[in-house]
Amino acid sequence: MLKRISALVLAGLTAMSVAACGSGSGSGSAGSDGADGSGGADGSITMGFSQVGAESGWRTANTKSVQESAKEAGITLKFSDAQQKQENQIKAIRSFVQQRVDVIAFSPVVESGWDTVLKEAQNAKIPVILTDRAVDSKDTTLYKTFLGSDFVEEGKKAGQWLVEEYKDTTETVNIVELQGTTGSAPANDRKAGFAEVIGADPKFKIIASQTGDFTRAKGKEVMEAFLKSNPDIDVLYAHNDDMGLGAIEAIEGAGKTPGQDIKIITVDAVKDGMQALADGKINFIVECSPLLGPQLMDLAKKVVKGEQVPARVVTEETTFTQEQAKQVLSTRQY
Ligand code: AHR
């Protein structure tokens, strides 16, 4: 009997401690749609953040930016690394809802399959911010705002450089493409933007296109396979620097000179990529900024207070040639 009573007391205490996690504890007090609309009773804010993983230099810089900015903004961050798995992100979001955080932010690993869990957050009156990557949910009330790059535009910029670079050529230009994670917004959009621009001229031919999952190791592996089955590659378009850097190893391993025998375009502009650009191993980089932390924290404060925020906040970005990379390399933050 005594044992059963102790077990009941313990269960009660555990339930109380889960409910007390996060400053938005107490019914209806969390989130901008909640009754108080200001986070915890003392105005403090707890954010649950579900990160994609640590697949690239970009991702590492993005995690650092989010963690440092939360600290600076006085926001308590509950950080969860999904290791590139959607199921882990869904679990993390459910756990944030259970803990009654004040706001949830996440970078969705893929675009589809979020409606159910986002509905759960909405029913719990916890506002959600999409950061870096989009979801394809038809119901846009499931999240308050989307902060991040225009990936289609990034793909277009890559294509425009290529069109300009080969403007005097009438011969076929054989392109291989290393795509990002299958089903992710940057992979879908960078592919689409690039294809749209080069599609205007039939001399540009994508002869192979495969995912390298945004990692250096996979970029190298897939590029090795491309080189074996395609002796005549003119251009590599890699959806991020890391895959491009892996591919450079494969190209050098095959006895070719990256940047000369095979022209290389990548996206991101992280330090390692910029170094390779300055060294002439990459020819052009489209910037994708990972420094989303400060804007994310500002948006979080606003949505928790119930203030209006823009539905879409697009990150400002540029592009880099070899000369430009040499100029900015020493001051590059990531
Ligand atoms: O979503 C942004 C992309 O994800 C970056 O371009 C890539 O490096 C990262 O893994």
Side-chain angles (χ1 to χ4, degrees):
M1 180 66 178
L2 197 63
K3 258 189 186 169
R4 271 184 59 197
I5 293 173
S6 315
L8 282 171
V9 170
L10 192 68
L13 284 175
T14 310
M16 275 164 67
S17 73
V18 168
C21 260
S23 57
S25 59
S27 62
S29 69
S32 62
D33 293 337
D36 67 4
S38 60
D42 55 356
S44 63
I45 296 176
T46 297
M47 172 189 281
F49 184 87
S50 169
Q51 180 59 290
V52 168
E55 74 281 6
S56 62
W58 189 100
R59 190 64 55 195
T60 307
N62 179 246
T63 294
K64 194 166 167 247
S65 170
V66 170
Q67 288 173 334
E68 286 178 358
S69 308
K71 217 173 182 184
E72 270 160 35
I75 292 179
T76 305
L77 190 70
K78 289 178 181 287
F79 183 89
S80 171
D81 178 339
Q83 299 179 338
Q84 296 249 68
K85 290 199 177 84
Q86 182 175 33
E87 71 217 56
N88 290 345
Q89 288 200 297
I90 291 174
K91 266 190 217 151
I93 294 168
R94 287 209 167 115
S95 148
F96 295 148
V97 169
Q98 219 187 9
Q99 293 174 57
R100 298 209 54 78
V101 297
D102 300 302
V103 56
I104 293 171
F106 81 115
S107 173
V109 61
V110 290
E111 285 192 279
S112 303
W114 299 102
D115 288 37
T116 305
V117 73
L118 290 181
K119 194 84 205 149
E120 288 167 22
Q122 192 176 57
N123 289 342
K125 298 191 185 307
I126 300 177
V128 172
I129 299 177
L130 301 180
T131 169
D132 162 37
R133 298 184 182 179
V135 298
D136 64 3
S137 302
K138 296 269 176 304
D139 182 359
T140 54
T141 69
L142 292 175
Y143 52 91
K144 297 288 173 195
T145 181
F146 166 34
L147 162 69
S149 310
D150 182 338
F151 296 133
V152 176
E153 194 53 37
E154 290 174 352
K156 284 185 184 172
K157 287 177 188 168
Q160 281 152 5
W161 180 83
L162 193 65
V163 168
E164 181 60 24
E165 182 70 8
Y166 285 89
K167 65 174 188 294
D168 299 325
T169 315
T170 50
E171 281 166 34
T172 300
V173 180
N174 288 328
I175 304 161
V176 294
E177 180 181 32
L178 281 169
Q179 296 179 38
T181 302
T182 305
S184 69
N188 294 341
D189 295 354
R190 286 174 188 165
K191 182 172 185 52
F194 182 74
E196 188 188 319
V197 172
I198 63 161
D201 188 337
K203 77 178 176 214
F204 294 112
K205 287 207 164 43
I206 299 182
I207 54 169
S209 181
Q210 210 178 301
T211 182
D213 217 7
F214 281 130
T215 68
R216 214 175 272 216
K218 203 77 202 292
K220 182 177 180 196
E221 187 188 309
V222 177
M223 189 68 200
E224 279 168 353
F226 283 167
L227 285 159
K228 274 190 193 129
S229 44
N230 305 282
D232 227 4
I233 300 170
D234 299 306
V235 174
L236 162 67
Y237 169 42
H239 289 188
N240 80 345
D241 288 345
D242 280 83
M243 292 189 295
L245 292 163
I248 286 172
E249 290 177 32
I251 294 167
E252 286 173 337
K256 296 189 184 236
T257 309
Q260 288 178 28
D261 295 331
I262 297 178
K263 298 259 163 83
I264 302 178
I265 312 165
T266 63
V267 184
D268 277 355
V270 295
K271 251 195 182 143
D272 289 356
M274 292 290 270
Q275 185 62 62
L277 178 59
D279 294 343
K281 295 186 177 191
I282 292 178
N283 304 80
F284 187 68
I285 300 185
V286 178
E287 186 184 39
C288 176
S289 174
L291 306 179
L292 303 176
Q295 277 172 297
L296 174 61
M297 299 310 148
D298 285 350
L299 288 165
K301 283 182 180 172
K302 287 185 178 149
V303 297
V304 170
K305 276 194 205 142
E307 287 175 18
Q308 280 296 316
V309 291
R312 176 79 168 102
V313 181
V314 183
T315 321
E316 273 181 41
E317 285 155 353
T318 185
T319 57
F320 295 99
T321 60
Q322 185 180 22
E323 280 320 304
Q324 290 164 331
K326 281 182 187 163
Q327 280 163 23
V328 300
L329 198 51
S330 60
T331 57
R332 199 82 188 139
Q333 281 184 58
Y334 53 91

